[in-house]
Amino acid sequence: MRTPYLTMPLLTSLAELVPWMQSRADALDRDAAFPTEEIACLHRLGVLTLPLPVATGTREDALADTLASMLVLIGQGNLPVGRVVEAHINTMHLVARYGTQAQRAEAAATARDGGLFGLWVTDPPGGGLRMQRSGSRIMLSGAKQFCSGAGHAAGALVTARDGDGATRMLLLRLGIGETVKPLPSPLQGMRAAVTGAVDFSGCEISSGAILGEPGDYLREPDFSAGAWRGSAVALGGLIALLDLAVTQLRESGRWDNPHTRARIGEAMIARETSRHWVRSAARIAEDPSADAAHRVATVGLARIAVETACLDAMRLVQRSLGLSAFRQGNPVERICRDLSTYLRQPAPDEVLTEAAAWFAGNPGVSAVA
């Protein structure tokens, strides 16, 4: 099934927006300011309401390719913008996967109005979000932390423990009395994502906010396979980093040094390898007919491959540029700081070893779509 909407005009318009996003990124980082104008522009292009592969029920490579290209371009423009858009897409995916017809319609209406969804699933130390049902109402207590877009998102998908100790998903329309606070210790990078803590104590919601069944948030393959979207955004940051490095090396007169070219060449290999991994991971992860374990293992390898490529490229770029790569105000410094923060996703060793074990046990299966 083809979706005519997902063709070149969207990606062409988005590519044209990238330089503008890049020109604003330093100021947003310096002020730790939320990219309100960027989100508004992306909304006008249709990014927040992009049809998702999960909604078709069949393998749709064109949809997966477009979604991947979109996330790469946004990451190339500004990694924190990519972070909040990725969270929005992840939420819309879960709503499409587990939501009722009413929930899907409500989420779609919010997105059409330009509303951004957060995905807030991390509990602070000492206890997280709890829910207590009373008839058709739910009373919330506790908080979530590392909430990107805190104070700016229109809605959020959160996880909460119910009275039986089970983990439930809640789809919330924000502005229900929650309290937004800065993190006790701010993150070094991704400052424009405005990541904070949100306390929902005393908030009352309808039981209609419950999304799916107990344990659905951790259910595979959605829980792990969705990580490919973060890899796509990180790839965009890697592309921007190498473009800047080549430009600055030319301007400084150091591009002709053969050792410099060799280092950048290695980083370019890592970049192109990452493109292939993201494309394959997107197609396999979004293929409902693929084996769930295959989807999870493929995304696991892709995630580690892109992380390794980014870390290697940062080292090579910093070695090539020298101390200027660490100067505040140099976008290279900002992108490296943002990438370093963004790549710190949980359990990388476990992800790699489990993916390796699955492919070792299925030698005839490829990770290439």
Side-chain angles (χ1 to χ4, degrees):
M1 182 173 92
R2 291 280 180 181
T3 305
Y5 174 78
L6 294 177
T7 53
M8 290 306 294
L10 171 65
L11 298 180
T12 299
S13 298
L14 188 53
E16 293 172 351
L17 199 64
V18 167
W20 173 75
M21 294 170 64
Q22 292 175 334
S23 72
R24 291 170 44 84
D26 281 331
L28 291 172
D29 173 75
R30 182 186 63 243
D31 299 335
F34 191 76
T36 303
E37 293 184 38
E38 283 79 354
I39 297 302
C41 287
L42 294 176
H43 164 57
R44 288 193 290 272
L45 290 180
V47 167
L48 302 187
T49 54
L50 190 76
L52 300 179
V54 66
T56 70
T58 60
R59 176 161 180 160
E60 183 64 69
D61 286 349
L63 284 172
D65 290 349
T66 299
L67 180 57
S69 297
M70 182 192 80
L71 290 170
V72 171
L73 284 168
I74 296 173
Q76 189 176 347
N78 189 341
L79 280 164
V81 178
R83 171 67 188 98
V84 295
V85 171
E86 175 220 340
H88 174 87
I89 297 295
N90 289 348
T91 294
M92 298 299 282
H93 173 96
L94 290 170
V95 172
R97 178 75 171 82
Y98 297 111
T100 63
Q101 184 175 353
Q103 288 171 327
R104 293 195 296 269
E106 181 180 357
T110 298
R112 282 197 303 270
D113 290 340
L116 188 75
F117 280 96
L119 183 65
W120 301 341
V121 295
T122 304
D123 290 330
L129 189 60
R130 299 289 186 270
M131 55 180 283
Q132 186 65 46
R133 299 186 66 165
S134 177
S136 63
R137 306 299 294 174
I138 296 174
M139 183 63 70
L140 300 178
S141 62
K144 308 302 284 190
Q145 68 173 355
F146 299 128
C147 304
S148 296
H152 300 273
L157 189 155
V158 302
T159 50
R161 293 279 187 180
D162 64 16
D164 297 324
T167 298
R168 305 298 300 259
M169 291 187 289
L170 301 174
L171 184 65
L172 305 179
R173 191 69 185 262
L174 298 174
I176 54 176
E178 72 275 6
T179 301
V180 177
K181 298 179 180 179
L183 293 177
S185 300
L187 296 174
Q188 179 183 10
M190 304 296 282
R191 288 165 50 84
V194 188
T195 301
V198 182
D199 192 335
F200 291 95
S201 296
C203 294
E204 186 178 345
I205 60 175
S206 165
S207 59
I210 296 175
L211 183 69
E213 300 297 327
D216 274 351
Y217 177 70
L218 297 176
R219 202 173 305 283
E220 299 292 10
D222 298 272
F223 177 67
S224 297
W228 78 261
R229 302 182 196 102
S231 296
V233 175
L235 169 58
L238 173 57
I239 292 169
L241 176 65
L242 291 185
D243 288 346
L244 280 168
V246 171
T247 297
Q248 292 185 15
L249 288 166
R250 289 186 187 278
E251 291 173 348
S252 67
R254 286 185 283 170
W255 174 244
D256 290 333
N257 184 294
H259 302 294
T260 295
R261 289 190 178 186
R263 284 191 292 266
I264 298 303
E266 291 179 19
M268 288 175 174
I269 291 172
R271 177 192 65 195
E272 297 311 308
T273 299
S274 296
R275 286 191 205 269
H276 291 293
W277 271 113
V278 166
R279 181 174 182 269
S280 287
R283 289 186 169 193
I284 293 176
E286 300 297 335
D287 178 5
S289 66
D291 177 76
H294 180 201
R295 294 159 74 180
V296 170
T298 297
V299 172
L301 291 185
R303 173 186 151 185
I304 301 305
V306 173
E307 175 187 316
T308 301
C310 290
L311 294 173
D312 287 347
M314 285 190 282
R315 172 180 57 83
L316 293 163
V317 166
Q318 289 167 344
R319 180 171 291 184
S320 297
L321 290 175
L323 201 58
S324 67
F326 298 88
R327 179 177 57 81
Q328 291 184 4
N330 186 344
V332 167
E333 183 275 335
R334 169 181 49 78
I335 291 176
C336 286
R337 181 161 37 84
D338 284 346
L339 263 181
S340 296
T341 302
Y342 191 41
L343 292 170
R344 290 306 98 216
Q345 300 300 315
D349 297 324
E350 180 180 345
V351 167
L352 179 59
T353 55
E354 290 186 355
W358 190 87
F359 277 105
N362 296 271
V365 182
S366 174
V368 177

